[in-house]
PDB file of all heavy atoms in Angstrom:
ATOM      1  N   ILE A 648     245.303 214.029 225.894  1.00 98.00           N
ATOM      2  CA  ILE A 648     244.970 213.497 227.205  1.00 98.00           C
ATOM      3  C   ILE A 648     243.411 213.238 227.296  1.00 98.00           C
ATOM      4  O   ILE A 648     242.934 212.260 227.692  1.00 98.00           O
ATOM      5  CB  ILE A 648     245.426 214.439 228.282  1.00 98.00           C
ATOM      6  CG1 ILE A 648     246.965 214.442 228.374  1.00 98.00           C
ATOM      7  CG2 ILE A 648     244.785 214.109 229.646  1.00 98.00           C
ATOM      8  CD1 ILE A 648     247.568 215.522 229.150  1.00 98.00           C
ATOM      9  N   ARG A 649     242.686 214.271 226.757  1.00 96.00           N
ATOM     10  CA  ARG A 649     241.206 214.128 226.778  1.00 96.00           C
ATOM     11  C   ARG A 649     240.745 212.999 225.902  1.00 96.00           C
ATOM     12  O   ARG A 649     239.767 212.328 226.173  1.00 96.00           O
ATOM     13  CB  ARG A 649     240.572 215.483 226.384  1.00 96.00           C
ATOM     14  CG  ARG A 649     240.575 216.525 227.463  1.00 96.00           C
ATOM     15  CD  ARG A 649     239.729 217.732 227.136  1.00 96.00           C
ATOM     16  NE  ARG A 649     239.708 218.672 228.230  1.00 96.00           N
ATOM     17  CZ  ARG A 649     238.895 218.665 229.269  1.00 96.00           C
ATOM     18  NH1 ARG A 649     237.965 217.597 229.411  1.00 96.00           N
ATOM     19  NH2 ARG A 649     238.936 219.539 230.202  1.00 96.00           N
ATOM     20  N   ALA A 650     241.413 212.871 224.762  1.00 97.00           N
ATOM     21  CA  ALA A 650     241.013 211.826 223.773  1.00 97.00           C
ATOM     22  C   ALA A 650     241.072 210.439 224.422  1.00 97.00           C
ATOM     23  O   ALA A 650     240.333 209.543 224.013  1.00 97.00           O
ATOM     24  CB  ALA A 650     241.850 211.910 222.546  1.00 97.00           C
ATOM     25  N   MET A 651     241.953 210.232 225.377  1.00 96.00           N
ATOM     26  CA  MET A 651     242.127 208.874 226.005  1.00 96.00           C
ATOM     27  C   MET A 651     241.180 208.827 227.228  1.00 96.00           C
ATOM     28  O   MET A 651     241.291 207.772 227.972  1.00 96.00           O
ATOM     29  CB  MET A 651     243.541 208.558 226.341  1.00 96.00           C
ATOM     30  CG  MET A 651     244.229 209.536 227.262  1.00 96.00           C
ATOM     31  SD  MET A 651     245.976 209.036 227.657  1.00 96.00           S
ATOM     32  CE  MET A 651     246.861 209.604 226.208  1.00 96.00           C
ATOM     33  N   GLY A 652     240.383 209.814 227.485  1.00 96.00           N
ATOM     34  CA  GLY A 652     239.502 209.810 228.618  1.00 96.00           C
ATOM     35  C   GLY A 652     240.144 210.102 229.942  1.00 96.00           C
ATOM     36  O   GLY A 652     239.570 209.784 231.025  1.00 96.00           O
ATOM     37  N   ALA A 653     241.309 210.721 229.886  1.00 98.00           N
ATOM     38  CA  ALA A 653     241.991 211.085 231.122  1.00 98.00           C
ATOM     39  C   ALA A 653     241.940 212.589 231.390  1.00 98.00           C
ATOM     40  O   ALA A 653     241.430 213.334 230.586  1.00 98.00           O
ATOM     41  CB  ALA A 653     243.493 210.703 231.029  1.00 98.00           C
ATOM     42  N   GLN A 654     242.393 212.951 232.638  1.00 97.00           N
ATOM     43  CA  GLN A 654     242.201 214.381 233.054  1.00 97.00           C
ATOM     44  C   GLN A 654     243.469 214.797 233.744  1.00 97.00           C
ATOM     45  O   GLN A 654     244.287 214.002 234.214  1.00 97.00           O
ATOM     46  CB  GLN A 654     241.056 214.447 234.083  1.00 97.00           C
ATOM     47  CG  GLN A 654     239.748 213.917 233.592  1.00 97.00           C
ATOM     48  CD  GLN A 654     238.867 213.553 234.839  1.00 97.00           C
ATOM     49  OE1 GLN A 654     238.242 214.426 235.435  1.00 97.00           O
ATOM     50  NE2 GLN A 654     238.911 212.274 235.225  1.00 97.00           N
ATOM     51  N   ILE A 655     243.643 216.129 233.793  1.00 98.00           N
ATOM     52  CA  ILE A 655     244.738 216.755 234.518  1.00 98.00           C
ATOM     53  C   ILE A 655     244.097 217.644 235.592  1.00 98.00           C
ATOM     54  O   ILE A 655     243.045 218.291 235.421  1.00 98.00           O
ATOM     55  CB  ILE A 655     245.571 217.731 233.635  1.00 98.00           C
ATOM     56  CG1 ILE A 655     246.146 216.891 232.472  1.00 98.00           C
ATOM     57  CG2 ILE A 655     246.648 218.410 234.440  1.00 98.00           C
ATOM     58  CD1 ILE A 655     247.314 215.981 232.844  1.00 98.00           C
ATOM     59  N   VAL A 656     244.714 217.648 236.803  1.00 98.00           N
ATOM     60  CA  VAL A 656     244.418 218.615 237.862  1.00 98.00           C
ATOM     61  C   VAL A 656     245.645 219.184 238.417  1.00 98.00           C
ATOM     62  O   VAL A 656     246.627 218.370 238.657  1.00 98.00           O
ATOM     63  CB  VAL A 656     243.440 218.051 238.974  1.00 98.00           C
ATOM     64  CG1 VAL A 656     244.050 216.939 239.728  1.00 98.00           C
ATOM     65  CG2 VAL A 656     242.928 219.106 239.859  1.00 98.00           C
ATOM     66  N   ALA A 657     245.776 220.491 238.483  1.00 98.00           N
ATOM     67  CA  ALA A 657     247.021 221.163 239.031  1.00 98.00           C
ATOM     68  C   ALA A 657     246.735 221.614 240.389  1.00 98.00           C
ATOM     69  O   ALA A 657     245.644 222.133 240.704  1.00 98.00           O
ATOM     70  CB  ALA A 657     247.481 222.231 238.084  1.00 98.00           C
ATOM     71  N   ILE A 658     247.794 221.595 241.256  1.00 98.00           N
ATOM     72  CA  ILE A 658     247.660 222.063 242.666  1.00 98.00           C
ATOM     73  C   ILE A 658     248.844 222.852 242.948  1.00 98.00           C
ATOM     74  O   ILE A 658     250.010 222.522 242.706  1.00 98.00           O
ATOM     75  CB  ILE A 658     247.567 220.857 243.600  1.00 98.00           C
ATOM     76  CG1 ILE A 658     246.341 219.931 243.341  1.00 98.00           C
ATOM     77  CG2 ILE A 658     247.594 221.319 245.057  1.00 98.00           C
ATOM     78  CD1 ILE A 658     246.285 218.698 244.148  1.00 98.00           C
ATOM     79  N   MET A 659     248.575 224.062 243.583  1.00 98.00           N
ATOM     80  CA  MET A 659     249.730 224.891 244.021  1.00 98.00           C
ATOM     81  C   MET A 659     249.283 225.684 245.259  1.00 98.00           C
ATOM     82  O   MET A 659     248.092 225.822 245.565  1.00 98.00           O
ATOM     83  CB  MET A 659     250.208 225.825 242.929  1.00 98.00           C
ATOM     84  CG  MET A 659     249.184 226.702 242.310  1.00 98.00           C
ATOM     85  SD  MET A 659     249.940 227.476 240.840  1.00 98.00           S
ATOM     86  CE  MET A 659     249.245 229.094 240.929  1.00 98.00           C
ATOM     87  N   PRO A 660     250.260 226.290 246.034  1.00 98.00           N
ATOM     88  CA  PRO A 660     249.909 226.828 247.316  1.00 98.00           C
ATOM     89  C   PRO A 660     249.452 228.330 247.227  1.00 98.00           C
ATOM     90  O   PRO A 660     249.503 228.970 248.263  1.00 98.00           O
ATOM     91  CB  PRO A 660     251.199 226.729 248.086  1.00 98.00           C
ATOM     92  CG  PRO A 660     252.242 226.784 247.075  1.00 98.00           C
ATOM     93  CD  PRO A 660     251.693 226.149 245.853  1.00 98.00           C
ATOM     94  N   GLU A 661     249.106 228.859 246.123  1.00 97.00           N
ATOM     95  CA  GLU A 661     248.788 230.190 245.915  1.00 97.00           C
ATOM     96  C   GLU A 661     247.293 230.452 245.998  1.00 97.00           C
ATOM     97  O   GLU A 661     246.465 229.597 245.742  1.00 97.00           O
ATOM     98  CB  GLU A 661     249.321 230.754 244.654  1.00 97.00           C
ATOM     99  CG  GLU A 661     250.810 230.615 244.530  1.00 97.00           C
ATOM    100  CD  GLU A 661     251.388 231.329 243.304  1.00 97.00           C
ATOM    101  OE1 GLU A 661     250.709 231.312 242.223  1.00 97.00           O
ATOM    102  OE2 GLU A 661     252.516 231.819 243.431  1.00 97.00           O
ATOM    103  N   THR A 662     246.895 231.680 246.358  1.00 97.00           N
ATOM    104  CA  THR A 662     245.534 232.098 246.491  1.00 97.00           C
ATOM    105  C   THR A 662     244.905 232.105 245.104  1.00 97.00           C
ATOM    106  O   THR A 662     245.660 232.189 244.067  1.00 97.00           O
ATOM    107  CB  THR A 662     245.405 233.421 247.185  1.00 97.00           C
ATOM    108  OG1 THR A 662     245.955 234.450 246.391  1.00 97.00           O
ATOM    109  CG2 THR A 662     245.940 233.379 248.583  1.00 97.00           C
ATOM    110  N   GLN A 663     243.573 232.212 245.006  1.00 96.00           N
ATOM    111  CA  GLN A 663     242.907 232.063 243.776  1.00 96.00           C
ATOM    112  C   GLN A 663     243.190 233.245 242.823  1.00 96.00           C
ATOM    113  O   GLN A 663     243.215 233.024 241.584  1.00 96.00           O
ATOM    114  CB  GLN A 663     241.381 232.039 244.033  1.00 96.00           C
ATOM    115  CG  GLN A 663     240.921 230.654 244.497  1.00 96.00           C
ATOM    116  CD  GLN A 663     239.722 230.666 245.276  1.00 96.00           C
ATOM    117  OE1 GLN A 663     238.835 231.480 245.099  1.00 96.00           O
ATOM    118  NE2 GLN A 663     239.571 229.705 246.166  1.00 96.00           N
ATOM    119  N   GLU A 664     243.617 234.368 243.333  1.00 96.00           N
ATOM    120  CA  GLU A 664     244.031 235.484 242.464  1.00 96.00           C
ATOM    121  C   GLU A 664     245.132 235.094 241.499  1.00 96.00           C
ATOM    122  O   GLU A 664     245.212 235.392 240.282  1.00 96.00           O
ATOM    123  CB  GLU A 664     244.476 236.666 243.306  1.00 96.00           C
ATOM    124  CG  GLU A 664     245.005 237.814 242.462  1.00 96.00           C
ATOM    125  CD  GLU A 664     245.523 238.960 243.328  1.00 96.00           C
ATOM    126  OE1 GLU A 664     245.366 238.927 244.566  1.00 96.00           O
ATOM    127  OE2 GLU A 664     246.110 239.909 242.729  1.00 96.00           O
ATOM    128  N   TYR A 665     246.041 234.226 242.085  1.00 97.00           N
ATOM    129  CA  TYR A 665     247.260 233.793 241.303  1.00 97.00           C
ATOM    130  C   TYR A 665     247.013 232.465 240.551  1.00 97.00           C
ATOM    131  O   TYR A 665     247.669 232.298 239.465  1.00 97.00           O
ATOM    132  CB  TYR A 665     248.454 233.733 242.218  1.00 97.00           C
ATOM    133  CG  TYR A 665     248.707 235.093 242.839  1.00 97.00           C
ATOM    134  CD1 TYR A 665     248.356 235.402 244.173  1.00 97.00           C
ATOM    135  CD2 TYR A 665     249.204 236.134 242.047  1.00 97.00           C
ATOM    136  CE1 TYR A 665     248.469 236.668 244.667  1.00 97.00           C
ATOM    137  CE2 TYR A 665     249.403 237.423 242.662  1.00 97.00           C
ATOM    138  CZ  TYR A 665     249.048 237.659 243.882  1.00 97.00           C
ATOM    139  OH  TYR A 665     249.157 238.863 244.410  1.00 97.00           O
ATOM    140  N   THR A 666     246.131 231.587 241.021  1.00 97.00           N
ATOM    141  CA  THR A 666     245.814 230.416 240.204  1.00 97.00           C
ATOM    142  C   THR A 666     245.060 230.965 239.008  1.00 97.00           C
ATOM    143  O   THR A 666     245.248 230.344 237.904  1.00 97.00           O
ATOM    144  CB  THR A 666     244.933 229.398 241.028  1.00 97.00           C
ATOM    145  OG1 THR A 666     243.754 230.053 241.538  1.00 97.00           O
ATOM    146  CG2 THR A 666     245.768 228.806 242.144  1.00 97.00           C
ATOM    147  N   GLN A 667     244.230 231.949 239.145  1.00 96.00           N
ATOM    148  CA  GLN A 667     243.564 232.508 238.005  1.00 96.00           C
ATOM    149  C   GLN A 667     244.554 233.046 236.970  1.00 96.00           C
ATOM    150  O   GLN A 667     244.415 232.965 235.825  1.00 96.00           O
ATOM    151  CB  GLN A 667     242.609 233.655 238.412  1.00 96.00           C
ATOM    152  CG  GLN A 667     241.334 233.149 239.026  1.00 96.00           C
ATOM    153  CD  GLN A 667     240.466 234.273 239.620  1.00 96.00           C
ATOM    154  OE1 GLN A 667     240.937 235.401 239.729  1.00 96.00           O
ATOM    155  NE2 GLN A 667     239.261 233.962 240.000  1.00 96.00           N
ATOM    156  N   GLN A 668     245.660 233.724 237.492  1.00 95.00           N
ATOM    157  CA  GLN A 668     246.645 234.271 236.586  1.00 95.00           C
ATOM    158  C   GLN A 668     247.357 233.170 235.802  1.00 95.00           C
ATOM    159  O   GLN A 668     247.514 233.361 234.602  1.00 95.00           O
ATOM    160  CB  GLN A 668     247.722 235.046 237.411  1.00 95.00           C
ATOM    161  CG  GLN A 668     247.277 236.497 237.772  1.00 95.00           C
ATOM    162  CD  GLN A 668     248.451 237.261 238.344  1.00 95.00           C
ATOM    163  OE1 GLN A 668     249.610 237.015 237.990  1.00 95.00           O
ATOM    164  NE2 GLN A 668     248.170 238.193 239.234  1.00 95.00           N
ATOM    165  N   LEU A 669     247.704 232.080 236.431  1.00 96.00           N
ATOM    166  CA  LEU A 669     248.345 231.003 235.746  1.00 96.00           C
ATOM    167  C   LEU A 669     247.422 230.353 234.738  1.00 96.00           C
ATOM    168  O   LEU A 669     247.844 230.068 233.663  1.00 96.00           O
ATOM    169  CB  LEU A 669     248.857 229.956 236.795  1.00 96.00           C
ATOM    170  CG  LEU A 669     249.767 228.847 236.172  1.00 96.00           C
ATOM    171  CD1 LEU A 669     250.942 229.360 235.413  1.00 96.00           C
ATOM    172  CD2 LEU A 669     250.161 227.805 237.163  1.00 96.00           C
ATOM    173  N   LYS A 670     246.196 230.204 235.106  1.00 96.00           N
ATOM    174  CA  LYS A 670     245.203 229.579 234.226  1.00 96.00           C
ATOM    175  C   LYS A 670     244.994 230.422 232.967  1.00 96.00           C
ATOM    176  O   LYS A 670     244.983 229.938 231.875  1.00 96.00           O
ATOM    177  CB  LYS A 670     243.838 229.392 234.954  1.00 96.00           C
ATOM    178  CG  LYS A 670     242.856 228.488 234.204  1.00 96.00           C
ATOM    179  CD  LYS A 670     241.621 228.270 234.955  1.00 96.00           C
ATOM    180  CE  LYS A 670     240.582 227.526 234.128  1.00 96.00           C
ATOM    181  NZ  LYS A 670     240.774 226.046 234.085  1.00 96.00           N
ATOM    182  N   SER A 671     244.744 231.752 233.147  1.00 95.00           N
ATOM    183  CA  SER A 671     244.567 232.566 232.020  1.00 95.00           C
ATOM    184  C   SER A 671     245.833 232.715 231.178  1.00 95.00           C
ATOM    185  O   SER A 671     245.788 232.759 229.984  1.00 95.00           O
ATOM    186  CB  SER A 671     243.996 233.958 232.466  1.00 95.00           C
ATOM    187  OG  SER A 671     244.906 234.618 233.249  1.00 95.00           O
ATOM    188  N   GLY A 672     246.993 232.841 231.849  1.00 94.00           N
ATOM    189  CA  GLY A 672     248.206 232.972 231.108  1.00 94.00           C
ATOM    190  C   GLY A 672     248.611 231.766 230.325  1.00 94.00           C
ATOM    191  O   GLY A 672     249.233 231.899 229.237  1.00 94.00           O
ATOM    192  N   SER A 673     248.275 230.554 230.768  1.00 95.00           N
ATOM    193  CA  SER A 673     248.698 229.355 230.140  1.00 95.00           C
ATOM    194  C   SER A 673     247.609 228.833 229.181  1.00 95.00           C
ATOM    195  O   SER A 673     247.831 227.947 228.336  1.00 95.00           O
ATOM    196  CB  SER A 673     248.946 228.283 231.138  1.00 95.00           C
ATOM    197  OG  SER A 673     247.845 227.957 231.880  1.00 95.00           O
ATOM    198  N   GLY A 674     246.359 229.310 229.379  1.00 96.00           N
ATOM    199  CA  GLY A 674     245.204 228.758 228.665  1.00 96.00           C
ATOM    200  C   GLY A 674     244.847 227.360 229.111  1.00 96.00           C
ATOM    201  O   GLY A 674     244.268 226.641 228.369  1.00 96.00           O
ATOM    202  N   ALA A 675     245.132 227.008 230.358  1.00 97.00           N
ATOM    203  CA  ALA A 675     244.865 225.658 230.897  1.00 97.00           C
ATOM    204  C   ALA A 675     243.376 225.404 230.873  1.00 97.00           C
ATOM    205  O   ALA A 675     242.652 226.234 231.520  1.00 97.00           O
ATOM    206  CB  ALA A 675     245.496 225.533 232.256  1.00 97.00           C
ATOM    207  N   PRO A 676     242.893 224.367 230.265  1.00 96.00           N
ATOM    208  CA  PRO A 676     241.485 223.999 230.348  1.00 96.00           C
ATOM    209  C   PRO A 676     241.113 223.147 231.550  1.00 96.00           C
ATOM    210  O   PRO A 676     239.930 222.835 231.671  1.00 96.00           O
ATOM    211  CB  PRO A 676     241.266 223.252 228.981  1.00 96.00           C
ATOM    212  CG  PRO A 676     242.598 222.628 228.781  1.00 96.00           C
ATOM    213  CD  PRO A 676     243.656 223.468 229.359  1.00 96.00           C
ATOM    214  N   PHE A 677     242.047 222.884 232.306  1.00 97.00           N
ATOM    215  CA  PHE A 677     241.827 222.064 233.508  1.00 97.00           C
ATOM    216  C   PHE A 677     241.900 222.861 234.795  1.00 97.00           C
ATOM    217  O   PHE A 677     242.475 223.953 234.780  1.00 97.00           O
ATOM    218  CB  PHE A 677     242.793 220.864 233.589  1.00 97.00           C
ATOM    219  CG  PHE A 677     244.243 221.307 233.260  1.00 97.00           C
ATOM    220  CD1 PHE A 677     245.068 221.829 234.283  1.00 97.00           C
ATOM    221  CD2 PHE A 677     244.792 221.073 232.096  1.00 97.00           C
ATOM    222  CE1 PHE A 677     246.329 222.191 234.028  1.00 97.00           C
ATOM    223  CE2 PHE A 677     246.131 221.378 231.787  1.00 97.00           C
ATOM    224  CZ  PHE A 677     246.871 222.015 232.766  1.00 97.00           C
ATOM    225  N   PRO A 678     241.335 222.365 235.877  1.00 97.00           N
ATOM    226  CA  PRO A 678     241.303 223.217 237.142  1.00 97.00           C
ATOM    227  C   PRO A 678     242.689 223.308 237.715  1.00 97.00           C
ATOM    228  O   PRO A 678     243.518 222.419 237.639  1.00 97.00           O
ATOM    229  CB  PRO A 678     240.385 222.387 238.088  1.00 97.00           C
ATOM    230  CG  PRO A 678     240.357 220.963 237.540  1.00 97.00           C
ATOM    231  CD  PRO A 678     240.666 221.112 236.004  1.00 97.00           C
ATOM    232  N   ILE A 679     242.970 224.494 238.289  1.00 98.00           N
ATOM    233  CA  ILE A 679     244.177 224.791 239.087  1.00 98.00           C
ATOM    234  C   ILE A 679     243.711 225.049 240.481  1.00 98.00           C
ATOM    235  O   ILE A 679     243.018 226.054 240.745  1.00 98.00           O
ATOM    236  CB  ILE A 679     244.979 225.912 238.491  1.00 98.00           C
ATOM    237  CG1 ILE A 679     245.371 225.639 237.025  1.00 98.00           C
ATOM    238  CG2 ILE A 679     246.211 226.202 239.316  1.00 98.00           C
ATOM    239  CD1 ILE A 679     246.150 226.729 236.368  1.00 98.00           C
ATOM    240  N   LEU A 680     244.100 224.186 241.427  1.00 98.00           N
ATOM    241  CA  LEU A 680     243.489 224.229 242.794  1.00 98.00           C
ATOM    242  C   LEU A 680     244.428 224.921 243.775  1.00 98.00           C
ATOM    243  O   LEU A 680     245.692 224.867 243.597  1.00 98.00           O
ATOM    244  CB  LEU A 680     243.269 222.808 243.260  1.00 98.00           C
ATOM    245  CG  LEU A 680     242.492 221.858 242.307  1.00 98.00           C
ATOM    246  CD1 LEU A 680     242.182 220.533 242.937  1.00 98.00           C
ATOM    247  CD2 LEU A 680     241.149 222.566 241.897  1.00 98.00           C
ATOM    248  N   THR A 681     243.885 225.583 244.779  1.00 98.00           N
ATOM    249  CA  THR A 681     244.643 226.258 245.817  1.00 98.00           C
ATOM    250  C   THR A 681     244.772 225.250 246.979  1.00 98.00           C
ATOM    251  O   THR A 681     243.824 224.842 247.604  1.00 98.00           O
ATOM    252  CB  THR A 681     243.898 227.510 246.293  1.00 98.00           C
ATOM    253  OG1 THR A 681     243.973 228.431 245.273  1.00 98.00           O
ATOM    254  CG2 THR A 681     244.649 228.085 247.524  1.00 98.00           C
ATOM    255  N   ASP A 682     246.018 224.960 247.289  1.00 98.00           N
ATOM    256  CA  ASP A 682     246.388 224.150 248.469  1.00 98.00           C
ATOM    257  C   ASP A 682     246.977 225.129 249.566  1.00 98.00           C
ATOM    258  O   ASP A 682     248.142 225.193 249.741  1.00 98.00           O
ATOM    259  CB  ASP A 682     247.366 223.042 248.156  1.00 98.00           C
ATOM    260  CG  ASP A 682     247.696 222.142 249.278  1.00 98.00           C
ATOM    261  OD1 ASP A 682     246.894 222.067 250.282  1.00 98.00           O
ATOM    262  OD2 ASP A 682     248.741 221.516 249.273  1.00 98.00           O
ATOM    263  N   LEU A 683     245.980 225.856 250.192  1.00 94.00           N
ATOM    264  CA  LEU A 683     246.445 226.935 251.096  1.00 94.00           C
ATOM    265  C   LEU A 683     247.269 226.317 252.287  1.00 94.00           C
ATOM    266  O   LEU A 683     246.909 225.339 252.814  1.00 94.00           O
ATOM    267  CB  LEU A 683     245.248 227.682 251.653  1.00 94.00           C
ATOM    268  CG  LEU A 683     245.534 229.156 252.054  1.00 94.00           C
ATOM    269  CD1 LEU A 683     246.050 229.939 250.841  1.00 94.00           C
ATOM    270  CD2 LEU A 683     244.263 229.791 252.550  1.00 94.00           C
ATOM    271  N   ASP A 684     248.402 226.969 252.600  1.00 94.00           N
ATOM    272  CA  ASP A 684     249.307 226.488 253.662  1.00 94.00           C
ATOM    273  C   ASP A 684     249.838 225.164 253.312  1.00 94.00           C
ATOM    274  O   ASP A 684     250.377 224.498 254.245  1.00 94.00           O
ATOM    275  CB  ASP A 684     248.614 226.489 255.011  1.00 94.00           C
ATOM    276  CG  ASP A 684     248.060 227.834 255.446  1.00 94.00           C
ATOM    277  OD1 ASP A 684     248.625 228.895 254.992  1.00 94.00           O
ATOM    278  OD2 ASP A 684     247.075 227.942 256.177  1.00 94.00           O
ATOM    279  N   ASN A 685     249.757 224.684 252.100  1.00 96.00           N
ATOM    280  CA  ASN A 685     250.366 223.413 251.690  1.00 96.00           C
ATOM    281  C   ASN A 685     249.817 222.219 252.469  1.00 96.00           C
ATOM    282  O   ASN A 685     250.478 221.239 252.706  1.00 96.00           O
ATOM    283  CB  ASN A 685     251.876 223.479 251.806  1.00 96.00           C
ATOM    284  CG  ASN A 685     252.547 224.270 250.730  1.00 96.00           C
ATOM    285  OD1 ASN A 685     252.760 223.844 249.597  1.00 96.00           O
ATOM    286  ND2 ASN A 685     252.939 225.460 251.047  1.00 96.00           N
ATOM    287  N   GLY A 686     248.567 222.320 252.936  1.00 96.00           N
ATOM    288  CA  GLY A 686     248.004 221.289 253.767  1.00 96.00           C
ATOM    289  C   GLY A 686     248.060 219.930 253.126  1.00 96.00           C
ATOM    290  O   GLY A 686     248.444 218.849 253.684  1.00 96.00           O
ATOM    291  N   TYR A 687     247.553 219.843 251.816  1.00 98.00           N
ATOM    292  CA  TYR A 687     247.538 218.582 251.077  1.00 98.00           C
ATOM    293  C   TYR A 687     249.008 218.064 250.766  1.00 98.00           C
ATOM    294  O   TYR A 687     249.292 216.970 250.971  1.00 98.00           O
ATOM    295  CB  TYR A 687     246.725 218.687 249.857  1.00 98.00           C
ATOM    296  CG  TYR A 687     246.488 217.385 249.129  1.00 98.00           C
ATOM    297  CD1 TYR A 687     245.924 216.260 249.806  1.00 98.00           C
ATOM    298  CD2 TYR A 687     246.807 217.198 247.812  1.00 98.00           C
ATOM    299  CE1 TYR A 687     245.753 215.062 249.180  1.00 98.00           C
ATOM    300  CE2 TYR A 687     246.660 215.947 247.129  1.00 98.00           C
ATOM    301  CZ  TYR A 687     246.103 214.918 247.879  1.00 98.00           C
ATOM    302  OH  TYR A 687     245.896 213.699 247.196  1.00 98.00           O
TER     303      TYR A 687
END
């Protein structure tokens, strides 16, 4: 994905404590964003 100049961004309704858990557990090099209360 990076080689073609594209990007990933993940969004989920959890607080940063848990977005951090998913990021570290998966080794995701892209941002995992908090959509609190599912506003977006």
Side-chain angles (χ1 to χ4, degrees):
I648 291 167
R649 281 189 180 275
M651 61 179 77
Q654 309 155 80
I655 300 287
V656 64
I658 298 176
M659 59 190 215
E661 298 188 327
T662 63
Q663 284 156 28
E664 177 183 353
Y665 300 103
T666 58
Q667 283 173 349
Q668 279 191 29
L669 184 59
K670 189 176 175 83
S671 61
S673 65
F677 44 80
I679 302 179
L680 311 183
T681 292
D682 183 22
L683 207 59
D684 300 331
N685 286 283
Y687 186 56

